[in-house]
Amino acid sequence: VRRASERTVKMKLHSLICVGMFAAAGAALGGDVIVGKQTCAAMAVPATGMYTLIAVPFKDVGGTDTEPKVKVADVVKTVGLKAGSHLFYYTGENYYAWKLEEGTWKGATVSYKKNGKDEMTQSPEDGYQVPCGATLWLQRAEGSDEGVVLYGGEAPVPNPTLTAKSVQLISNPKATDYTFTAAGADGDMIMIPQDDGTQTTYTYKTGKKSWGQYEQSGTVPGTEIPLMTFTVKTVTIPGGRGAWYVSKGDTVPSIVW
């Protein structure tokens, strides 16, 4: 059994009981299992922070490939998570929320700030489905294990369609880390949440034809005003994890996971 240091690994399953057993131990396996005529799989997404953006790489077991969707309660397993944990899904306009109660994800209403105003999330119906390829925001309750297990039927995960001059969630549905190399518009940003609660931001500069970060290279002579230099960086979205894409220009890159 390999430890979960590989960030995200698909797991071979004999039953869902195995998923829970290994996830609780913080371990991960590799492979798939056939259920009827469908290939099902699980993915362990290790993360040490309270908040984690997680991918939705599967469809409901028995669901179709034409418009693959999945119920949140089916794809995000509760093993290792404490009661009071939350899941959030952003449609681009509204937030939906679920709360873990009595071992089950239940629709919830949670307050949040939007443009400085108090808003409330929507409580989804029991059968509400999110599209395969979506991104969920997991908020673990204190005492929860450092990771989450995703499960479902394998499906072709659609590549995200970005919209110019917008802020969108994207997530890497694969088990391996993804190096983001597609060119953005000048000033576009990718913000990747880190386990310590911070967010690492990368900016695209057309003059450099690269993604990078502004780093202090000194100060203006005779002052304490910092001099910032653009440094080319490698942008990596961990397997099974999500990020924010901030579009500043009129054109957007094509993402192929």
Side-chain angles (χ1 to χ4, degrees):
V1 176
R2 295 172 293 176
R3 301 297 297 174
S5 59
E6 296 178 48
R7 308 285 290 179
T8 307
V9 189
K10 279 192 176 180
M11 299 188 293
K12 181 177 293 181
L13 309 176
H14 295 294
S15 70
L16 202 51
I17 295 175
C18 295
V19 180
M21 179 176 64
F22 283 104
L29 311 176
D32 302 319
V33 65
I34 304 298
V35 178
K37 296 182 179 180
Q38 182 172 358
T39 301
C40 299
M43 182 182 287
V45 184
T48 60
M50 178 180 291
Y51 299 97
T52 306
L53 291 176
I54 55 176
V56 179
F58 305 122
K59 65 181 179 181
D60 265 336
V61 176
T64 67
D65 286 347
T66 54
E67 192 177 358
K69 294 183 178 182
V70 65
K71 291 188 285 292
V72 165
D74 291 340
V75 71
V76 182
K77 311 318 294 181
T78 61
V79 60
L81 296 175
K82 298 296 185 181
S85 296
H86 283 84
L87 282 169
F88 301 92
Y89 171 59
Y90 182 52
T91 65
E93 296 181 356
N94 300 303
Y95 282 96
Y96 287 84
W98 293 259
K99 184 178 182 180
L100 183 55
E101 296 179 336
E102 299 176 348
T104 303
W105 292 112
K106 299 180 180 180
T109 302
V110 181
S111 63
Y112 68 98
K113 291 284 187 181
K114 183 177 182 181
N115 298 325
K117 297 181 180 180
D118 289 327
E119 300 282 351
M120 301 296 290
T121 63
Q122 296 191 32
S123 179
E125 298 177 355
D126 290 343
Y128 186 86
Q129 294 179 310
V130 298
C132 179
T135 304
L136 296 174
W137 180 2
L138 171 66
Q139 178 183 342
R140 276 180 289 269
E142 185 176 353
S144 297
D145 289 349
E146 298 175 348
V148 62
V149 175
L150 309 175
Y151 175 80
E154 289 196 337
V157 180
N159 294 311
T161 300
L162 296 177
T163 302
K165 297 181 178 178
S166 70
V167 179
Q168 292 176 249
L169 282 168
I170 58 175
S171 57
N172 175 9
K174 295 188 176 180
T176 53
D177 294 351
Y178 177 82
T179 301
F180 196 103
T181 58
D186 193 58
D188 281 7
M189 295 186 295
I190 296 175
M191 298 185 296
I192 303 175
Q194 303 300 311
D195 289 337
D196 61 2
T198 63
Q199 203 155 231
T200 301
T201 300
Y202 301 90
T203 303
Y204 189 81
K205 294 296 291 181
T206 52
K208 297 286 187 178
K209 297 182 179 180
S210 296
W211 292 91
Q213 294 174 314
Y214 287 95
E215 299 178 333
Q216 185 172 348
S217 57
T219 58
V220 176
T223 74
E224 295 183 359
I225 301 174
L227 286 173
M228 306 301 289
T229 301
F230 182 83
T231 305
V232 174
K233 298 283 187 176
T234 299
V235 181
T236 301
I237 301 177
R241 300 276 290 270
W244 292 95
Y245 192 95
V246 182
S247 171
K248 299 282 189 173
D250 294 321
T251 59
V252 292
S254 296
I255 301 175
V256 181
W257 297 120

